[in-house]
Structure formats: structure tokens, C-alpha cells
Amino acid sequence: MPAITSTAPGKIILFGEHAVVYHRPAIAVPVQSLRTRVVITADPLATPGTIHIEAPAINLNSDILDLVPEDHLVLTITNIMKEIGITYIPACNIRISSTIPVAAGLGSGAAASVALIRAFSTFLGKPFPDDLVNKLAFEIEKIHHGTPSGIDNTVITYNMPVYFQYGQPLQKFQIKLPFTILIADTGVPSKTAITVRKVRQGWEQSPEKFENIFDEIAEITNQGKHAIEIGNILALGKLMDQNQILLQAIGVSSAEIGILIDAAKQAGAIGAKLSGGGGGGNIIALVDEESAKNVGKALLEAGAKHVYQNQLRTSH
Ligand code: PMV
């Protein structure tokens, strides 16, 4: 049996992170240059049922039986088997490799789930359709942080720019003019669960204040979608700046994020904000052709561990 391979992209959130957990809309786009790859090979010599998993990014090299049952990879596999209704599996080796930095707001967890669900369901002879991949990946997101909005698994499963709101049908949108986003890594790992919890505590203490901020973020997200649809890049940058101020107000920015954003803006970025859970992780900066190089250089000089360039355009 030939090896089964599946890959899934990373993602960035352009507008609306955190507010999306409170059922406001958000916009996310896949990042094709950052990917998780899952390769499954049958191991006919091993005892049936043996699954060996190797995931160097999280220092994992183990038989599945040696992992705790609530481990997210174990759960992904057991959920797939339940869905298909089988208890027997041929022995296999699963290798998960990724160029998506872990705990950096770029969707590494969701990408691993999506690629694993696709590869393993195919390995078992029942490749799952996108809706089922998305549903199972969402279940795993709940383990990463109890109250996920579902945006990460959705943008990564469908692999296209999305306007997402919990409980609403997924909306696609057109990108009138291509635009370039630089993604810069603060190098500070940050777990989404922690910032999501922090926001929850703030919301519990001052519900009215947080609800108002979420409404303002929702308005910015809607204006951002419009700016993308009409190709107003300057407006897009201003809206990113406004979104960042509100993310600061709910306490998910950080000194390192602030330093990179200031460096990007001073070097000519049209707009900049954190992306994802915050508290560390990555910032995104909107640049044009002239400023891209300068901004990239300034970000590295200001301490960014990596800068990735991502061009956004509607694919037909
Ligand atoms: O940090 P990431 O890439 O997992 O982004 C999470 C986005 C949040 O809005 C903060 C949480 C969520 O579930 O939507």
C-alpha cells in the first residue's frame, strides 16, 4: 500500500479574533507557504492495531498506546474510528511534520487535526468530506481551549478566505486587489487557551465594557470585508490599526507585539495588528510593494524571529 499524504495550511486572522468567540464575525485567510504534512505508511510487520506517531515539532515519538487517552492526537484517531464504526486498524506509522510555528497564533493545532483526519480516514479507505473533517477538527479545538469559535478549523479545512460567524453559514468574499501581508513572529510562545481565558475573566467582570468592544470589533470586521471587496488598501490598513487598539483594550497585546507593530509602522506599513490569540505569537503588517522590504528588515531588527510574506488574492 503506498503512503498516504495530506497537507493543510496555516492561517492568519485579519480581523475579529477573540470577539469571534462571542459570536461576532471575523475574517481569516489561509497561509499556503506554512503547512503541516501528515504521512501514513502501513506497517505490515507490526502487530495489527499498533500505531506509531512521530511529531518532531512537539517532541513526540511514541506508540499511541503509551499516550494518555485524552491526548489530542489519540482523540483524533479514536473519533475517526468511531465515525467509521470500526475497532480494527492495520498497523501503521504516522509522521506529522510542520513548518507552522507552534503556539504562535497561526493555526498549527487545527492544521495538524485537519491533515491527520484527512490522511487517516483515507488510510482506512473512507476519505471524509470537508464538512466532516471540519466537524471533527472542531471537536479537537475544544480540547486546545474549551470555547473555540471554530474559525481556525473552518479556514484551514476549506482552505479559502472566510468571513466567519458562529452558527451562520460560511461566507466567501472576493479580493478585488491583491495585497501583501508580512507575518512576524515575536518568538514568544503563547497558548490561545490562556488569552481566551483572560478575556473571559475580563468579560465576566465588566460585561458591558467587553460587549461594547466586541461590537466595535464587529463593525471593523465588516468594514474590513468591504475594504477588501472594493480594493481600498489604505482603509484596510487603518482598520487593522483600529482593531489592534481594541485588542489592547481587552488585554491580549504584549510589549513584544507593541515593539514589532511600532517598528512595522515606522518603516512604512499601512496597518498592523496582532493576529490570533495574542499575548505573544505573531503580528501581521499590511505593506505595499515599496515598503515590503523596509518593513521586513525593520521587523527583524526589532527582534522578530521570522518574517513570512503572504500575498492575498482571490483564486479562480
Ligand atoms: O491563536 P489562534 O491561532 O488559535 O487563534 C485563535 C482565535 C481566537 O479568536 C482568539 C480564539 C477562537 O477560538 O476563535
Side-chain angles (χ1 to χ4, degrees):
M1 188 185 186
I4 307 281
T5 301
S6 181
T7 73
K11 70 98 218 327
I12 48 174
I13 296 183
L14 292 182
F15 294 105
E17 50 274 271
H18 288 289
V20 68
V21 175
Y22 299 81
H23 300 181
R24 281 18 175 234
I27 294 176
V29 297
V31 177
Q32 305 299 346
S33 57
L34 299 175
R35 297 194 85 82
T36 292
R37 167 187 293 264
V38 172
V39 180
I40 305 185
T41 39
D43 188 354
L45 299 180
T47 318
T50 312
I51 302 179
H52 189 85
I53 303 194
E54 211 186 321
I58 52 168
N59 288 323
L60 179 71
N61 188 357
S62 174
D63 275 357
I64 202 164
L65 278 178
D66 298 330
L67 299 173
V68 289
E70 54 282 3
D71 178 277
H72 61 284
L73 295 172
V74 178
L75 277 172
T76 309
I77 284 170
T78 42
N79 286 352
I80 295 167
M81 289 170 60
K82 260 193 228 147
E83 197 61 48
I84 299 179
I86 52 162
T87 47
Y88 165 83
I89 8 163
C92 62
N93 292 311
I94 300 178
R95 186 178 159 84
I96 305 174
S97 56
S98 185
T99 54
I100 310 173
V102 176
L106 297 176
S108 65
S113 300
V114 167
L116 180 57
I117 294 163
R118 287 214 174 103
F120 201 64
S121 60
T122 305
F123 176 72
L124 296 177
K126 298 254 183 265
F128 287 169
D130 283 351
D131 290 357
L132 184 53
V133 171
N134 193 31
K135 182 180 144 227
L136 294 187
F138 184 52
E139 292 306 314
I140 304 304
E141 287 292 284
K142 288 186 193 159
I143 305 167
H144 289 299
H145 68 93
T147 55
S149 63
I151 192 167
D152 278 21
N153 46 283
T154 301
V155 63
I156 290 170
T157 298
Y158 296 100
N159 196 9
M160 62 184 184
V162 295
Y163 174 89
F164 174 92
Q165 191 163 9
Y166 181 82
Q168 302 288 325
L170 192 59
Q171 276 187 41
K172 299 185 206 172
F173 57 89
Q174 294 294 312
I175 300 173
K176 172 109 191 253
L177 292 178
F179 58 93
T180 303
I181 295 282
L182 296 185
I183 305 168
D185 193 347
T186 60
V188 180
S190 174
K191 281 199 186 303
T192 306
I194 292 176
T195 51
V196 166
R197 200 176 312 130
K198 189 172 175 195
V199 173
R200 174 80 46 184
Q201 281 160 359
W203 177 75
E204 277 164 5
Q205 273 163 22
S206 322
E208 208 174 313
K209 175 180 160 203
F210 274 65
E211 284 291 326
N212 285 337
I213 295 178
F214 296 151
D215 283 341
E216 281 183 67
I217 294 178
E219 182 56 33
I220 288 172
T221 302
N222 287 330
Q223 289 179 18
K225 175 169 172 276
H226 182 66
I228 294 171
E229 283 170 336
I230 63 168
N232 189 342
I233 307 294
L234 276 184
L236 191 60
K238 279 211 186 90
L239 290 163
M240 286 169 69
D241 293 342
Q242 288 168 15
N243 195 163
Q244 172 61 19
I245 293 170
L246 296 169
L247 286 163
Q248 260 165 359
I250 58 170
V252 295
S253 197
S254 72
E256 292 83 359
I257 289 172
I259 289 169
L260 292 191
I261 287 178
D262 289 349
K265 295 284 300 189
Q266 271 164 27
I270 308 162
K273 65 184 274 294
L274 67 84
S275 181
N282 278 268
I283 70 124
I284 54 174
L286 177 65
V287 293
D288 54 23
E289 246 173 72
E290 292 87 68
S291 63
K293 214 166 156 209
N294 264 346
V295 176
K297 193 164 156 264
L299 282 166
L300 288 169
E301 279 167 8
K305 298 294 169 285
H306 294 280
V307 177
Y308 312 94
Q309 187 162 330
N310 193 37
Q311 230 219 359
L312 292 159
R313 56 173 72 245
T314 298
S315 51
H316 295 283

